[in-house]
Amino acid sequence: RVDRLLIHDGGIRDGLVAEMIDELGFRCQHPRTHPEQVLGAVARYAERMKFPREHSEHVAQLALKIFDALAELQPDAAGTWAKPAHRDLLRCAALLHDVGRRIALKAHNKHAYDMILHADLATLTRREIEFIANVCRYHRKAGPKRGDPNFRKLGADDQRLVAHLVGILRVADGLDRTAALLQAVAKDKNGLGCGGAGDDAGGEGPGHWPQPLRGPLRPELLLQAAPDRTGGRGEVIFISK
């Protein structure tokens, strides 16, 4: 009788070799892939999954602006969460956050997590893939909880970093959808008809998502109004330290 079964989602042979190296007191180093190679692989995977290009690229642009603005507000953050490598991971997550719609609109954030974990993204390390998948997992609905099995896989530092980047991605995603809703309302007032612009809205074709927002961003205010998909209330999930 088996009460509990753990299934390793990586390569068993590679895991055994890494464990042997750890037991010998060495650290296994992965060759660093150029960021543009990583981004190229992520973009190609997103294309294969038929991601909403205009929306995802717009969200990525907004997320990077918020990341940079927050880094300027906290000069000491360069040694913690505001590293260039973390900025690259945020960009990847922003491009991939809606790939779960390939399976179903409902719970697409959870589908995105599973898809990214099993995607062929050889330019990323296993840790980076797990990290990006978690950021996408929590871009909507409930935020990270310490008891979540997927979140527990991460170390304490990565859990804090995921919470940082999830907050930024939620704001960027909410800004894009808010702009889309305003455009739809304007069309409706002009008698042109209006479709919903929320998470469960239908249309996603070319032109559905608006052009990037213009003007300076106020990240300290945006984070206070991070969209909470569970009930429409503002929910701050960004952790500054």
Side-chain angles (χ1 to χ4, degrees), residues 81-154:
W81 62 267
K83 296 179 180 179
H86 300 159
R87 189 179 188 273
D88 292 338
L89 292 176
L90 174 61
R91 188 177 182 184
C92 292
L95 289 175
L96 296 176
H97 74 281
D98 271 346
V99 295
R101 291 171 180 249
R102 174 81 171 179
I103 297 177
L105 186 61
K106 185 177 181 180
H108 67 268
N109 53 316
K110 296 180 180 179
H111 296 314
Y113 173 82
D114 293 329
M115 291 168 65
I116 294 168
L117 276 190
H118 298 94
D120 183 16
L121 296 171
T123 56
L124 291 166
T125 66
R126 193 67 197 168
R127 170 188 169 268
E128 290 169 336
I129 291 173
E130 190 78 49
F131 187 95
I132 292 170
N134 270 277
V135 175
C136 293
R137 162 68 177 81
Y138 294 113
H139 85 270
R140 65 188 291 272
K141 296 296 185 181
K145 295 183 178 64
R146 296 191 187 280
D148 293 346
N150 54 286
F151 198 58
R152 287 206 312 264
K153 292 182 181 179
L154 303 174

